Amino acid sequence: MLIKETLQTSGRDQMIDITRRVAAASAQSGIIDGLAVVYCPHTTAGITVQENADPDVVRDVLMRLDEVYPWEHPKYRHEEGNTASHLKAMTTGTSQTIVISGGKLLLGTWQGIYFCEFDGPRTRTFYVKLMTG
């Protein structure tokens, strides 16, 4: 089963907790044991699993990514001016695989699934592929 989800981001750099949306898709599938693959088809956004209990973790991650990949750099050559967003997306990756066990996503106590926006605000899409087995 493949589910397409759309979201609207509101900032240039942002991490949006999509755990509930992925869990709802998983529940809708009726899969008891299997996998959920969450995939982002964008070159300036990504998917990650990270702590969702303390919002300062998201703030710190975004701050550090900005330090490592500043928006402006004298050696960037990409004409669109968003090289940093491509580098950040490469760092987070385009997908995550989460085990489904007993009909629920097998996430740690503090883990959440995040859509990572690095070139917003934009309307974005992500996919949840649900597989049994």
Side-chain angles (χ1 to χ4, degrees), residues 37-43 45-48 89-96:
V37 177
V38 185
Y39 171 70
C40 169
H42 305 288
T43 61
I47 302 289
T48 195
M90 283 176 46
T91 300
T92 59
T94 59
S95 67
Q96 292 289 319

Side-chain angles (χ1 to χ4, degrees), residues 15-19 46-54 58 111-116:
M15 290 173 63
I16 300 167
D17 188 340
I18 59 171
T19 309
I47 302 289
T48 195
V49 173
Q50 195 45 259
E51 179 179 327
N52 67 352
D54 181 353
V58 167
Q111 287 183 319
I113 307 163
Y114 286 89
F115 183 94
C116 303

Side-chain angles (χ1 to χ4, degrees), residues 54-105:
D54 181 353
D56 284 338
V57 171
V58 167
R59 185 195 69 80
D60 292 348
V61 167
L62 291 174
M63 176 192 65
R64 187 64 180 124
L65 284 171
D66 263 348
E67 291 171 355
V68 173
Y69 306 118
W71 194 254
E72 294 183 21
H73 189 283
K75 294 185 180 180
Y76 288 161
R77 295 179 65 180
H78 183 45
E79 288 185 26
E80 288 182 44
N82 63 350
T83 296
S85 62
H86 290 282
L87 294 168
K88 292 174 186 180
M90 283 176 46
T91 300
T92 59
T94 59
S95 67
Q96 292 289 319
T97 302
I98 298 95
V99 173
I100 300 168
S101 180
K104 297 187 182 207
L105 298 176

Side-chain angles (χ1 to χ4, degrees), residues 9-14 44 66 71 88 117-121:
T9 63
S10 60
R12 181 175 73 192
D13 292 304
Q14 185 177 10
T44 59
D66 263 348
W71 194 254
K88 292 174 186 180
E117 173 64 78
F118 300 121
D119 196 20

Side-chain angles (χ1 to χ4, degrees), residues 115-128:
F115 183 94
C116 303
E117 173 64 78
F118 300 121
D119 196 20
R122 293 179 185 255
T123 300
R124 296 292 199 168
T125 301
F126 66 93
Y127 294 91
V128 182

